[in-house]
Amino acid sequence: MLHYKNGEPAGLVTNIQKYTIHDGPGIRTEIFFKGCTMRCKWCSNPETISPLRELGVYPSKCVRDDKCGLCVKACPLDGAPIRFDGEHILASLAMAQACADCLRCADECPGRAIKLWGELMTAEELMKIILEDLSFYRRTGGGVTLNGGEVLVQWEFAHELLKRCREQEIHTCVETALNVPTEHMEAVFEYTDLVITDIKHMDPEKHRAYTGAGNELILKNIRRAAELGMKLVIRTPVVPGHNNSDEEIRAVGRFLRDELGGRIIQYQLLPYRKMGTEKYDSLGQPYPMGDFVPPERSQWEANLLHLASMLQEEFGLPAVPGSGAKLEL
Amino acid sequence: MNTEAKTRSDAPLAIEPYDREWGVGVSGMTEDPSPFPRINKMLKWLKETDSTADSQRAMILTEAYQKYEMYPQNIKCAMALRDVLQGVDVRIWPGELIVGELAAPPNSAPIYPEFSVDWLIDEFDNRPMENRTNDRYVVSKKVQDDIRSIQPYWKGKTLSEAVLASYTEEEKKGSHLEKCVLLESLFMYAGVGHVCANYEKLLKLGFGGIKKQIEEKMAALDESLPGDVKKKEFYTAELIMLEGVKSYITRYGDLAAVMARAEQDPVRKAELERVSSNCRWVAEGAPRDFWEAIQLWHIATNMIIIETNGHSVTYGRFDKIFWPFYKHDIESGTLTREFMQELIEHAFLKMHQLRKIRDTAAIIFSSGTIMGGTALDVGGVDENGDDITNDLSYMVLDAHAHTRIPNPWMGVRLHKGSPREFKIKVFNVIRIGTGEPKIFNDEPMIQSLLNYGKPIEDARNYVGIGCVEPAVPGKTYGWHDSGSMNLTKVMTLAINGGRCIECSDKCPRWAKCGGAGTQLSIDTGSLETFTSFDQVKESFDRQMKYWCDKLISTINKIDFAHQRLKPLPYLSLLVDDCVEKGKDVSVGGARYNHSGPQGVGLGTTADSLSVIKQLVFDEKKVTGAELLAALRANWEGYEPLYALVNSDRMHHYGNDDDYADEIAQFVMNTYCRHIEHRPTPHGGEYMPGVFSVTNNVMHGTVVWATPDGRKAGEPVSDCIGPAHTQCCSHDRRGPTAIANSVSKLDMPRIGNGIILNWKFSPSAVSGETGRDNLIALMDGYFERQGMQSQFAIVGKETLKAAQKDPDSYKDLLVRVAGYSAYFVELSPELQNDLIGRTELSFD
């Protein structure tokens, strides 16, 4: 999917995070793109799922209807989609989507209680921001990480942006679920130095139950990426009740050993943490894992350590708990 | 035994590996941090001992002042301090290997009536210090009665009274007495401190060697010359002083000998015998090994503080001062590395016993019962520009990890040639989260000293005094924290016709100010009439000049009062060139003299001016009159505008945005221009600093609402960092953007130093990746000539939990500003300010 801004190709971006340190080596600038081909229940970036712009609403930042009212004044529908709980604005699914093509209220809202999720940015605009931290990338072997959503939904633009990074000799990393047409993946990998991807489950049905998609295409793409000689970091978000048993993780280990010949940079076991709930709220959506209570830190930490050492011992894989261990590139 | 000592080496021979990790964000929340059981035991004892006040120094001093009234002031002061050193009780505490107190027991503050005594009695009467929620002191009835008994003698004789009597109405109005546009009173109610003795000289010559120099100088005087008569007085005072010094140190030696005789445990007996011989020897002699050297260094420093309670008495460059002793002892097998490690930790515990009582008003904003400013540096280059990092540099950092107390205030000097292993050690200690150590960048620090005319060798040998103030150890008497200017208050006067924004009949000055048809300051224009941003800048510049003149004139009066009433014969022994010149340090005996007042609220002021430029002049979204009306209303009824000025639609300092960053440069340069290079009464030049320590909270209380979206009374921005308001933080683009913004400022121009506070959540700096990225971030900031950094690495959630349940977090040591302190001992105002600072978190 390719977007345009004033006739120029553009990416639809939800967030640019500087000094990210856990998605690739060194100090990085990470860019989050909109649009996803999966619906993982634990997703902590719900604002990146829809491929279109959306409005997020943060009631706590609202100045209050009676003291401000700029959103209602700006609204071409006289404020019909905007609801208040008497004082503060309320988030609603209807507003998040219905108003996404107008945005006049978001433009006027002084405190950003109405926030636009999804800004169109050209490659040139993004490069300007990326280059601000060039000296920090150089020192640390860092660079740029494209993430989402599923960045490969916007594969044409990603290709163009990464090409420009390569021209500046900036290290490039793509974090993708790889549930995309193989040729899109291949196009973007032309300018990709490091790929971070997930194996969320080896069983297609369980995979579908928790992510809304089977894993066949994903595993095929991972094999293809390995064939292309891509440097791969594979992750599994370890979600209690979904994939946290020894057997389920062993299945991943078997795949990595037997099908990829263990040729990966690192295998990371990530904890499930209840994050991004405020973003679901802002979109007027319920959190998919609802009232699931995550285990205590001491519990999941111990389990991740156990699983990582199990994979090291049984499969000889470079398995680590978390994403903080140094990448040996 | 390994008899190798290493310098300029990649492989230090400290007792801990250079890459040992102690955890991230764990702070002091650990049992028994030291490998030495005795250190752990003494730590517990110290933490359980209440802080108290002790009257013995005050009583002896008062008696002596009466007895020696007829003598010249410097001789009188020398005799009085000699009497104190000869007369106070001395004690040696269980397990101590290094001895010497502050003329009072551990955790006990002596009292200095010569500066002021009335405030103390006022506290006794009206605000009992044992009821304080922070900075609690338990003061016995006897001590209170003692202090009351000397109050009549001191009536009209104290330094603070002398200064107050000299103030004009014009000086009073902006001072700490009235509107607090500036704070000039730090050295009015206490001593100056802020100095580093010439330890290298002292350890080489001993007090006996210094005495010999004085006697030689004295013998060469020609008393028919009036100037030499004054010098004779000075040298006489110095010799009197040395009598006291000898007595004080020897008495500890004598006590140790008595205790050794009674001691049953043969190990302790031998230790006490050694402590005894150490003291008896260094009372005059030059130290012969590391143990004697550290004993002399410790007790010599304590006597500086017994003479005057100015804080930030600095311990110098430890790895440089002690290297010859360490090397000798290792190579000769005199002492083991392990034992010297333990001695360093003993020295840290001794620093942690120093106390200074502050008044109620002060402790709300600057809490921590500790003395304050026990600065000690390691690393950096020597006089020739070569790296000095050696085993001791690592051992000192390990000593902090082993004690986790807020003393000393540690500084690490880094430069392009600092070993990678050293940086790993430094950042592993930083990541513990106690806030120690801070780091200095040699290049701009050295440049700042060169800008004030120091020769290159002296500049390279700088030490950070107290918080961060660059000085030449043993040669500078810098008055480094002589005052502070509320940059934000000045800005408000510049946009409102010289009137306070909140001007009304509720102000105590109303009758003689607003009510009399006049105003606090000169009228340099108002937002109601300015037609361009250049006019705003010009107005700010004129206001700044006006208030800098006032700040300097009041500091000058305090300076003259110190010269007249509080000569420092003991300190003059230890600072070049007092003995050479025959001149007391208070009247210009030092080689380099300065006075360094700080500008406070840079970020708030810059954001305010930036908002004015953007909204009033560039975008014309509001008129100047509307903005002023919003400020007067403290934003009430102007909520949309309040939200807007706090939002990311505004250009704010700290986001690598030239629009706002250029304004920050303008604010900083304007302050510097009106302070720098002006003459001080004791010789030398004024030099500005840009840091607040915790004064930003204090200064904030006297400033009404400001255009950046700050409400009345909120703290102004801290040190050189970006602003945060009750609504939100104004820096939004992460640490690289902060580094880029801040380093646009011309830091070497700021002769009195800067502080940049970083706050990271533990997850952002965990793992080897987190460590290396943090090191790289600092390398990048330093390459851009960033001058200093210090770190708080404790999660916001932990701080909030500690506020709710202080008892479970007693050991939670955190970075406050120029120093670290136990979080639960801070005032709620300061706790909230710390929690509010932007936490850079990247889960």
Side-chain angles (χ1 to χ4, degrees):
Chain A
M1 185 177 218
L2 185 55
H3 301 274
Y4 290 90
K5 178 177 180 180
N6 304 327
E8 255 191 83
L12 190 60
V13 170
T14 58
N15 188 16
I16 300 171
Q17 198 175 4
K18 293 183 154 211
Y19 199 83
T20 60
I21 54 172
H22 291 158
D23 293 324
I27 293 177
R28 313 191 68 84
T29 296
E30 188 162 11
I31 304 169
F32 294 82
F33 288 81
K34 232 168 149 358
C36 191
T37 62
M38 290 163 72
R39 296 290 181 274
C40 304
K41 292 199 175 187
W42 52 81
C43 181
S44 56
N45 292 324
E47 78 286 8
T48 62
I49 294 175
S50 156
L52 303 170
R53 295 193 295 189
E54 290 165 283
L55 289 182
V57 170
Y58 286 86
S60 65
K61 291 187 178 179
C62 177
V63 168
R64 293 167 51 152
D65 185 24
D66 54 338
K67 295 189 174 177
C68 178
L70 289 174
C71 52
V72 175
K73 272 177 226 144
C75 180
L77 304 172
D78 295 327
I82 307 172
R83 299 208 200 101
F84 291 88
D85 69 352
E87 290 183 343
H88 299 103
I89 191 166
L90 278 174
S92 73
L93 189 60
M95 183 179 164
Q97 290 168 355
C99 302
D101 284 330
C102 165
L103 305 176
R104 278 180 226 169
C105 58
D107 286 344
E108 283 301 318
C109 178
R112 300 269 198 215
I114 306 174
K115 180 181 166 60
L116 170 62
W117 288 122
E119 193 181 342
L120 284 171
M121 297 190 77
T122 64
E124 199 178 322
E125 286 167 338
L126 286 169
M127 283 311 291
K128 185 172 170 287
I129 294 169
I130 289 168
L131 287 169
E132 286 170 349
D133 285 4
L134 186 63
S135 70
F136 295 102
Y137 312 147
R138 294 277 190 260
R139 262 165 224 290
T140 55
V144 168
T145 298
L146 306 189
N147 200 343
E150 173 54 70
V151 56
L152 297 186
V153 167
Q154 300 186 46
W155 64 277
E156 294 115 313
F157 182 76
H159 178 267
E160 170 62 21
L161 184 63
L162 293 178
K163 186 171 165 224
R164 293 195 188 207
C165 290
R166 182 65 66 78
E167 282 163 9
Q168 301 279 347
E169 296 179 14
I170 294 171
H171 183 270
T172 58
C173 173
V174 169
E175 189 170 342
T176 163
L178 287 181
N179 186 37
V180 295
T182 306
E183 57 273 24
H184 295 175
M185 171 190 90
E186 288 178 355
V188 170
F189 282 5
E190 187 185 350
Y191 296 110
T192 303
D193 297 319
L194 177 71
V195 178
I196 301 178
T197 190
D198 286 358
I199 297 178
K200 296 177 170 91
H201 210 290
M202 287 307 294
D203 178 299
E205 281 323 303
K206 281 205 169 171
H207 194 279
R208 193 180 306 280
Y210 274 82
T211 70
N215 63 4
E216 297 86 351
L217 178 58
I218 293 171
L219 296 177
K220 177 189 157 205
N221 280 337
I222 292 178
R223 286 191 205 96
R224 177 66 186 141
E227 247 172 58
L228 289 169
M230 299 306 295
K231 290 183 172 169
L232 289 171
V233 170
I234 310 275
R235 290 175 166 172
T236 298
V238 179
V239 184
H242 168 56
N243 62 0
N244 64 333
S245 73
D246 290 5
E247 251 338 287
E248 285 163 311
I249 296 299
R250 274 202 187 96
V252 179
R254 229 168 271 130
F255 173 84
L256 296 178
R257 183 190 61 190
D258 299 344
E259 309 240 4
L260 304 185
R263 285 192 309 276
I264 55 170
I265 304 290
Q266 206 171 65
Y267 175 61
Q268 301 176 343
L269 292 139
L270 306 185
Y272 163 78
R273 270 181 282 179
K274 194 171 186 173
M275 292 202 302
T277 52
E278 74 293 346
K279 290 192 280 191
Y280 282 97
D281 292 345
S282 84
L283 293 164
Q285 295 175 19
Y287 182 66
M289 288 185 61
D291 41 18
F292 174 76
V293 181
E296 290 291 315
R297 186 180 190 99
S298 56
Q299 240 180 325
W300 61 252
E301 260 180 359
N303 190 41
L304 294 188
L305 277 167
H306 155 72
L307 294 172
S309 60
M310 182 183 84
L311 289 190
Q312 287 164 18
E313 284 162 25
E314 297 180 16
F315 300 91
L317 289 169
V320 294
S323 56
K326 199 164 188 137
L327 294 170
E328 299 299 337
L329 294 175
Chain B
M1 191 194 307
N2 188 336
T3 58
E4 209 183 337
K6 285 208 175 181
T7 181
R8 294 171 202 165
S9 158
D10 296 341
L13 290 167
I15 70 166
E16 300 271 19
Y18 75 86
D19 56 355
R20 159 108 197 243
E21 287 196 33
W22 286 277
V24 178
V26 295
S27 185
M29 311 281 290
T30 180
E31 281 284 303
D32 297 338
S34 177
F36 305 106
R38 163 160 46 185
I39 295 293
N40 292 324
K41 209 169 141 192
M42 290 167 87
L43 268 171
K44 283 201 187 91
W45 171 66
L46 276 181
K47 285 176 186 173
E48 284 159 8
T49 304
D50 272 332
S51 291
T52 63
D54 190 272
S55 57
Q56 212 178 8
R57 178 196 181 275
M59 302 312 284
I60 298 174
L61 190 92
T62 305
E63 197 187 326
Y65 264 59
Q66 288 166 299
K67 200 156 105 192
Y68 308 128
E69 198 123 26
M70 68 296 283
Y71 288 98
Q73 191 71 7
N74 55 346
I75 292 182
K76 181 167 95 185
C77 287
M79 288 172 155
L81 183 58
R82 176 199 60 198
D83 287 4
V84 169
L85 294 174
Q86 288 176 342
V88 289
D89 295 337
V90 298
R91 286 145 298 230
I92 292 172
W93 299 86
E96 284 193 324
L97 297 178
I98 298 165
V99 299
E101 303 155 293
L102 200 61
N107 292 6
S108 184
I111 288 163
Y112 299 75
E114 63 269 43
F115 294 110
S116 63
V117 66
D118 293 348
W119 73 266
L120 201 56
I121 289 165
D122 179 47
E123 296 270 327
F124 293 156
D125 289 345
N126 301 316
R127 288 173 298 279
M129 294 186 214
E130 59 263 36
N131 297 346
R132 289 177 174 182
T133 52
N134 56 287
D135 291 63
R136 181 170 173 269
Y137 275 87
V138 179
V139 184
S140 72
K141 180 158 185 312
K142 174 178 185 305
V143 168
Q144 296 195 26
D145 289 346
D146 278 350
I147 301 305
R148 285 182 219 279
S149 77
I150 59 174
Q151 188 184 21
Y153 168 77
W154 289 105
K155 187 85 211 140
K157 296 192 183 69
T158 63
L159 192 137
S160 52
E161 286 163 288
V163 174
L164 290 174
S166 72
Y167 273 15
T168 63
E169 278 300 311
E170 272 290 284
E171 283 163 342
K172 273 184 199 163
K173 71 179 184 184
S175 77
H176 78 291
L177 299 168
E178 295 188 358
K179 297 304 284 184
C180 300
V181 181
L182 50 94
L183 290 179
E184 81 302 357
S185 60
L186 185 60
F187 301 159
M188 188 187 296
Y189 298 98
V192 174
H194 291 85
V195 69
C196 180
N198 192 339
Y199 292 110
E200 286 179 86
K201 181 173 161 192
L202 174 66
L203 298 191
K204 199 169 150 211
L205 300 179
F207 280 113
I210 294 173
K211 185 176 177 193
K212 203 163 150 250
Q213 286 187 340
I214 292 166
E215 285 166 346
E216 282 166 16
K217 295 295 289 184
M218 221 169 162
L221 294 176
D222 174 357
E223 286 187 65
S224 68
L225 299 171
D228 278 16
V229 176
K230 293 301 282 180
K231 287 184 184 175
K232 178 81 181 284
E233 271 176 25
F234 170 77
Y235 291 126
T236 304
E238 298 306 281
L239 291 178
I240 292 166
M241 206 60 268
L242 283 167
E243 287 171 33
V245 168
K246 187 179 172 188
S247 161
Y248 193 55
I249 307 177
T250 306
R251 289 199 295 132
Y252 279 99
D254 295 345
L255 175 62
V258 171
M259 289 170 72
R261 277 196 289 279
E263 179 62 52
Q264 300 299 313
D265 174 8
V267 177
R268 182 63 185 154
K269 188 184 186 76
E271 283 175 357
L272 284 166
E273 280 166 357
R274 178 66 194 266
V275 166
S276 173
S277 78
N278 284 349
C279 290
R280 285 170 170 170
W281 177 260
V282 301
E284 280 200 300
R288 297 161 297 187
D289 69 5
F290 188 84
W291 197 349
E292 287 182 354
I294 212 164
Q295 172 64 61
L296 178 57
W297 171 73
H298 160 71
I299 202 163
T301 312
N302 267 16
M303 286 186 282
I304 298 176
I305 309 172
I306 296 172
E307 180 171 45
T308 160
N309 64 344
H311 62 244
S312 295
V313 173
T314 297
Y315 287 84
R317 303 181 67 186
F318 189 91
D319 45 0
K320 186 162 183 279
I321 298 168
F322 287 96
W323 173 248
F325 297 95
Y326 169 82
K327 186 170 185 288
H328 169 267
D329 291 359
I330 288 282
E331 286 171 356
S332 65
T334 311
L335 297 173
T336 66
R337 183 172 290 112
E338 287 69 21
F339 185 71
M340 288 191 267
Q341 179 72 42
E342 189 180 348
L343 283 179
I344 296 171
E345 292 172 27
H346 277 270
F348 280 21
L349 296 188
K350 294 301 288 183
M351 295 174 194
H352 194 50
Q353 299 169 8
L354 308 175
R355 289 293 180 277
K356 172 172 175 167
I357 294 192
R358 293 174 171 82
D359 60 90
T360 305
I363 60 165
I364 296 172
F365 310 108
S366 149
S367 347
T369 46
I370 55 169
M371 179 73 209
T374 54
L376 180 154
D377 289 355
V378 290
V381 298
D382 64 12
E383 289 86 344
N384 300 317
D386 296 323
D387 181 54
I388 67 156
T389 312
N390 58 41
D391 293 353
L392 288 171
S393 326
Y394 294 81
M395 289 165 68
V396 162
L397 290 163
D398 288 336
H400 176 69
H402 292 170
T403 52
R404 314 220 184 157
I405 46 177
N407 286 293
W409 295 9
M410 299 210 302
V412 170
R413 290 180 44 174
L414 294 175
H415 63 106
K416 291 200 180 91
S418 296
R420 167 88 184 152
E421 288 72 10
F422 186 52
K423 285 190 191 171
I424 288 173
K425 169 69 72 184
V426 170
F427 282 87
N428 278 348
V429 175
I430 285 171
R431 291 193 303 157
I432 295 174
T434 58
E436 299 288 342
K438 66 206 160 209
I439 55 174
F440 294 115
N441 183 10
D442 271 3
E443 213 176 303
M445 289 291 279
I446 290 169
Q447 187 58 49
S448 78
L449 287 135
L450 293 175
N451 290 349
Y452 279 84
K454 311 288 185 294
I456 185 75
E457 294 81 4
D458 278 350
R460 284 176 178 147
N461 191 32
Y462 79 87
V463 68
I465 299 284
C467 297
V468 291
E469 302 92 300
V472 184
K475 294 180 181 173
T476 300
Y477 191 49
W479 276 60
H480 290 286
D481 201 8
S482 56
S484 59
M485 176 63 79
N486 191 331
L487 303 175
T488 309
K489 178 78 184 181
V490 173
M491 178 272 300
T492 62
L493 295 168
I495 60 171
N496 192 37
R499 210 177 278 278
C500 302
I501 303 281
E502 71 278 22
C503 183
S504 81
D505 59 5
K506 290 188 195 106
C507 175
R509 296 193 81 254
W510 174 255
K512 55 184 171 182
C513 188
T518 167
Q519 72 259 333
L520 181 66
S521 184
I522 48 171
D523 179 0
T524 54
S526 156
L527 270 185
E528 279 161 4
T529 51
F530 291 134
T531 54
S532 73
F533 187 63
D534 282 342
Q535 289 179 348
V536 179
K537 285 166 80 175
E538 195 199 320
S539 174
F540 181 70
D541 184 64
R542 286 176 59 202
Q543 287 288 340
M544 192 60 79
K545 166 137 186 21
Y546 178 81
W547 289 106
C548 285
D549 287 352
K550 296 262 175 293
L551 176 64
I552 286 180
S553 80
T554 52
I555 295 173
N556 286 349
K557 287 195 164 163
I558 299 171
D559 194 325
F560 279 122
H562 277 269
Q563 296 190 30
R564 193 158 60 82
L565 294 172
K566 188 61 186 174
L568 300 167
Y570 176 73
L571 182 61
S572 300
L573 292 167
L574 300 175
V575 177
D576 297 352
D577 304 311
C578 297
V579 170
E580 187 59 35
K581 291 190 207 164
K583 210 171 180 184
D584 192 275
V585 72
S586 65
V587 293
R591 172 116 23 118
Y592 307 121
N593 291 286
H594 293 290
S595 193
Q598 272 58 264
V600 174
L602 176 75
T604 302
T605 310
D607 284 358
S608 294
L609 292 175
S610 182
V611 162
I612 290 170
K613 180 169 193 274
Q614 185 180 348
L615 286 187
V616 178
F617 297 105
D618 289 356
E619 295 176 0
K620 299 188 176 23
K621 271 199 175 147
V622 294
T623 65
E626 281 164 353
L627 184 55
L628 263 184
L631 298 183
R632 287 185 187 126
N634 197 18
W635 298 106
E636 263 174 57
Y638 295 86
E639 286 78 7
L641 184 58
Y642 172 78
L644 178 66
V645 297
N646 271 303
S647 79
D648 62 358
R649 295 173 205 276
M650 292 292 110
H651 297 285
H652 288 145
Y653 170 61
N655 295 292
D656 197 7
D657 171 355
D658 285 341
Y659 190 101
D661 295 347
E662 275 165 19
I663 292 173
Q665 291 166 53
F666 160 74
V667 171
M668 185 206 101
N669 290 334
T670 304
Y671 176 63
C672 287
R673 193 167 59 252
H674 294 305
I675 295 288
E676 62 199 359
H677 302 302
R678 297 173 73 163
T680 86
H682 68 285
E685 295 173 337
Y686 274 88
M687 54 183 190
V690 181
F691 58 92
S692 50
V693 193
T694 51
N695 262 337
N696 64 310
V697 181
M698 169 80 185
H699 277 302
T701 59
V702 299
V703 184
W704 198 250
T706 43
D708 62 321
R710 197 188 128 275
K711 290 187 176 170
E714 280 183 52
V716 295
S717 58
D718 83 279
C719 298
I720 204 158
H724 64 86
T725 68
Q726 212 175 56
C727 173
C728 60
S729 288
H730 284 186
D731 57 307
R732 304 178 178 83
R733 299 186 70 223
T736 51
I738 293 174
N740 288 346
S741 275
V742 172
S743 58
K744 287 174 198 167
L745 301 170
D746 180 10
M747 284 184 246
R749 180 174 185 172
I750 312 173
N752 207 42
I754 64 109
I755 290 178
L756 178 59
N757 279 304
W758 296 91
K759 188 171 163 191
F760 287 96
S761 77
S763 67
V765 295
S766 62
E768 210 180 319
T769 316
R771 179 198 76 196
D772 287 350
N773 286 338
L774 184 59
I775 293 176
L777 175 69
M778 286 306 120
D779 283 346
Y781 170 62
F782 277 7
E783 191 174 275
R784 289 165 191 259
Q785 301 301 298
M787 202 145 115
Q788 187 269 3
S789 282
Q790 56 193 36
F791 305 87
I793 300 180
V794 172
K796 193 173 275 193
E797 293 313 313
T798 309
L799 298 181
K800 283 184 181 163
Q803 255 186 336
K804 283 199 194 110
D805 178 17
D807 285 344
S808 305
Y809 290 88
K810 278 190 175 146
D811 292 326
L812 182 66
L813 187 60
V814 294
R815 193 81 199 175
V816 176
Y819 62 95
S820 295
Y822 292 108
F823 184 77
V824 301
E825 291 177 9
L826 300 174
S827 66
E829 289 83 353
L830 211 48
Q831 288 181 349
N832 290 334
D833 189 48
L834 291 182
I835 291 171
R837 287 181 197 164
T838 301
E839 179 176 283
L840 302 160
S841 170
F842 324 93
D843 256 316

